[in-house]
Amino acid sequence: MDFVMKQALGGATKDMGKMLGGEEEKDPDAQKKEEERQEALRQQEEERKAKHARMEAEREKVRQTIRDKYGLKKKEEKEAEEKAAMEQACEGSLTRPKKAIPAGCGDEDDEADESILDTVLKFLPGPLQDMLKK
């Protein structure tokens, strides 16, 4: 029982000394243990990264088989093709490429208006055509 009391009081006084600002006991192997711990952490991190790299490589293989099976392209490939097409289209141009304007959005000229008028005149009787042409 004496041993138990010494252990209880001995442990408590050490902790109380630390809490009150007393100096900690220096472990002679503390620096060596810390270096070993840091090395173990580095090794675990390297193993984790290697494991994730292997898993990602396996996933990419599966993705590629799916792309091959269904004839799909990677996003990077699609973007590269679109960029190359844009560069090729405006290769000789000094200005930026024009944006596509849908039909009927103000890009029509007066010629289109005249063609509509001519079409309407064709369906009118002869005397009315002469009156409207004048």
Side-chain angles (χ1 to χ4, degrees):
M1 185 105 117
D2 216 13
F3 176 73
V4 174
M5 291 300 286
K6 285 183 181 177
Q7 290 296 321
L9 291 177
T13 55
K14 289 179 185 175
D15 291 340
M16 291 299 289
K18 288 180 189 176
M19 288 172 37
L20 295 174
E23 296 214 3
E24 297 181 22
E25 291 183 24
K26 300 286 182 179
D27 187 11
D29 296 331
Q31 187 174 359
K32 184 178 177 183
K33 287 179 182 178
E34 180 64 22
E35 289 174 4
E36 289 175 359
R37 188 181 72 81
Q38 291 294 331
E39 181 61 33
L41 287 174
R42 272 188 239 109
Q43 186 177 5
Q44 287 176 346
E45 183 68 18
E46 289 173 4
E47 290 173 359
R48 185 189 68 80
K49 286 182 179 181
K51 177 183 174 186
H52 285 284
R54 282 193 309 271
M55 290 172 55
E56 186 59 31
E58 290 175 13
R59 288 184 188 126
E60 187 58 35
K61 286 180 186 176
V62 171
R63 289 184 197 122
Q64 189 60 44
T65 56
I66 292 171
R67 283 188 209 106
D68 293 341
K69 182 178 178 181
Y70 295 106
L72 303 173
K73 295 183 180 179
K74 280 186 171 182
K75 276 187 177 181
E76 296 94 27
E77 291 175 2
K78 285 182 183 178
E79 291 172 358
E81 287 177 2
E82 290 173 0
K83 188 176 180 180
M86 286 296 288
E87 288 177 0
Q88 187 179 22
C90 53
E91 195 171 279
S93 177
L94 296 176
T95 60
R96 66 176 177 80
K98 292 184 179 180
K99 294 182 180 177
I101 300 174
C105 289
D107 60 342
E108 297 176 7
D109 295 333
D110 293 332
E111 296 172 4
D113 294 335
E114 291 176 5
S115 65
I116 294 172
L117 184 60
D118 293 337
T119 308
V120 171
L121 287 175
K122 289 179 186 175
F123 291 106
L124 294 175
L128 284 177
Q129 284 182 3
D130 292 336
M131 271 183 19
L132 291 175
K133 285 184 180 178
K134 293 181 184 180

